[in-house]
Amino acid sequence: MSKSLRLSEKWFRRGLWLVSLVFASFLIGLGGTVVDDLPKVEATLQLDDFLDRPAAETLRAQVRNAQQAEESAETALDQARLQRAKSRSETAAERETFNNWLATRSATQQSEHNPEVVQRTQALDRLQLRERQTQQAVEAQQQAALDARQAATAAQQRLAALEKEGYERMAVQQRKVQLRVFLYRLALTLPLLVVAGWLFVKKRKGTYWPFVWGFIFFALFAFFVELVPYLPSYGGYVRYVVGIVVTALVGRYAIVALNRYLERQKRAEALPDQERRKELSYDVALARLAKGVCPGCERPVDLKDPTIDFCPHCGIGLFDHCGACNTRKSAFARFCHACGAGAGRGLLPGSDSDASAAVVPHAAGPLAGGPAPAGPL
């Protein structure tokens, strides 16, 4: 179709398509903001809302207390180990000194040192007793830390079991919330899609077609981008069922539209040549000729063959001769390309001039002073 348009008209159409896209982008931005804010109409779910609050708080307090007791026991255990290490070091040093002293006494055979033996032995016994006490302190702190750790583990297990039930109840509620939010989105986007379908069928060729197409782009984006990703799954059943239903509806519409188109084509091909030309606009005819198809039946025709003046499929006239210079020209051209004579003077082979002149009244468009088609085909 672009070959039948003026250069300025082409650029105007491109500018209008740009307007359509910009309009769609603003609508998409507004729609995305609204869709993103839809979940805010539902209250935010918290785990505590689905738990036995007193029991949960008691278990959490037990876990905290047990963890604090474990930390205190670990700190005391470190101190006890340090004291034990110090006691062992002192005992070992005293034992070594005592053994050296005994060796010296045996070598000198000095009996007067017997009271000192008793004294040194008693001192060593005290150090060993202190070492045993520090060992007992270490063991006591180890036991305390173990008890606290086991108490914390038991409380955490009971709390985890309680929270697991809460998570299950919260998951059920979350699915309900997701379904409600999806229904909000559906209630918002489905009417847009219906309106877009109506505009596509009725208004896409109207004067304000850029805004119509912008709204159509917005509705498609809102439905397939803003809605479909949030479609509840439920194991895939919902999405597959919705996909089957949508495919069936679209397929049925396509089949019905194809059958209607074929019926219209059959009725149009049964009409006389002049009436069929009246139903063809100038731009549509040129666009189909540019694609190498018959303007009447849209079947392929070898337009470069100079012997073909009529469509071999539907019989509509494709070429005639100029009444002024007898040059072979397109039957849908408004002026002769050789001499510039009006198409009303053209003669179809085997027909009178009135039959050819029937092309002129219908050919209202930019070149004839009539309004140009307002939108795309």
Side-chain angles (χ1 to χ4, degrees):
M1 178 179 176
S2 60
K3 294 183 178 180
S4 64
L5 299 177
R6 301 180 181 91
L7 181 61
S8 59
E9 188 175 358
K10 291 181 182 179
W11 283 103
F12 270 116
R13 287 185 179 276
R14 292 170 183 172
L16 290 177
W17 275 114
L18 180 60
V19 170
S20 175
L21 294 176
V22 172
F23 182 64
S25 67
F26 282 112
L27 288 177
I28 289 172
L30 177 61
T33 303
V34 174
V35 170
D36 291 339
D37 288 340
L38 284 178
K40 296 180 181 179
V41 301
E42 294 286 341
T44 303
L45 300 180
Q46 301 290 338
L47 178 61
D48 289 347
D49 298 333
F50 303 91
L51 296 178
D52 183 357
R53 286 287 186 89
E57 291 298 330
T58 301
L59 290 174
R60 288 169 180 168
Q62 291 177 359
V63 170
R64 289 194 299 268
N65 294 335
Q67 289 176 344
Q68 291 176 357
E70 182 181 0
E71 292 176 357
S72 299
E74 290 290 342
T75 302
L77 178 60
D78 291 338
Q79 293 292 333
R81 285 172 176 169
L82 181 62
Q83 294 297 326
R84 182 185 62 182
K86 180 179 179 182
S87 178
R88 284 179 177 178
S89 176
E90 292 176 353
T91 302
E94 182 64 24
R95 183 178 293 109
E96 183 179 359
T97 302
F98 181 70
N99 290 334
N100 292 335
W101 182 83
L102 286 178
T104 303
R105 179 179 179 277
S106 298
T108 58
Q109 296 296 323
Q110 295 177 355
S111 57
E112 64 272 9
H113 292 291
N114 288 334
E116 188 175 355
V117 172
V118 175
Q119 184 180 358
R120 287 178 177 271
T121 301
Q122 291 175 348
L124 183 60
D125 290 340
R126 286 193 297 270
L127 290 175
Q128 290 177 342
L129 177 60
R130 182 181 175 186
E131 181 179 349
R132 286 194 299 270
Q133 290 174 346
T134 57
Q135 179 63 31
Q136 291 173 355
V138 169
E139 293 174 353
Q141 293 303 324
Q142 287 177 338
Q143 184 64 44
L146 179 60
D147 293 341
R149 190 179 304 112
Q150 291 177 345
T153 301
Q156 286 176 342
Q157 290 176 349
R158 292 193 298 271
L159 180 60
L162 185 64
E163 289 180 344
K164 181 180 179 181
E165 297 177 358
Y167 277 121
E168 291 175 354
R169 291 192 290 269
M170 187 173 68
V172 174
Q173 189 63 28
Q174 281 179 336
R175 285 194 292 269
K176 293 180 180 179
V177 171
Q178 290 174 356
L179 180 59
R180 288 198 295 270
V181 172
F182 171 76
L183 292 177
Y184 298 152
R185 290 190 171 102
L186 182 63
L188 178 65
T189 58
L190 188 58
L192 297 178
L193 192 64
V194 173
V195 173
W198 180 82
L199 290 174
F200 177 79
V201 175
K202 300 294 185 179
K203 301 293 183 180
R204 72 179 188 272
K205 297 180 181 179
T207 303
Y208 300 100
W209 64 266
F211 299 106
V212 171
W213 279 102
F215 186 87
I216 292 173
F217 294 150
F218 157 64
L220 293 175
F221 183 88
F223 186 81
F224 290 102
V225 178
E226 300 291 353
L227 176 67
V228 172
Y230 296 97
L231 187 67
S233 176
Y234 293 104
Y237 290 100
V238 173
R239 296 187 178 183
Y240 287 129
V241 170
V242 171
I244 291 172
V245 172
V246 172
T247 304
L249 292 176
V250 174
R252 181 183 180 279
Y253 174 80
I255 293 172
V256 171
L258 176 61
N259 290 334
R260 289 176 179 173
Y261 168 76
L262 294 177
E263 288 296 328
R264 288 197 303 269
Q265 286 298 107
K266 289 181 181 179
R267 292 195 298 269
E269 292 174 11
L271 295 175
D273 186 270
Q274 296 181 20
E275 293 186 17
R276 294 173 64 189
R277 289 176 180 276
K278 291 179 181 180
E279 295 183 0
L280 282 174
S281 70
Y282 177 69
D283 291 331
V284 171
L286 291 186
R288 293 177 180 177
L289 288 173
K291 296 177 181 178
V293 298
C294 170
C297 64
E298 299 185 52
R299 295 186 177 94
V301 179
D302 187 6
L303 299 176
K304 296 181 180 180
D305 188 347
T307 63
I308 296 179
D309 288 335
F310 295 88
C311 175
H313 307 291
C314 66
I316 193 171
L318 301 176
F319 294 93
D320 60 12
H321 291 74
C322 176
C325 65
N326 202 33
T327 300
R328 184 175 180 267
K329 65 177 184 64
S330 172
F332 297 92
R334 293 173 178 171
F335 297 92
C336 175
H337 62 276
C339 67
R345 299 177 60 185
L347 296 174
L348 289 172
S351 65
D352 55 19
S353 60
D354 294 336
S356 178
V359 181
V360 178
H362 169 68
L367 295 180
L377 292 176

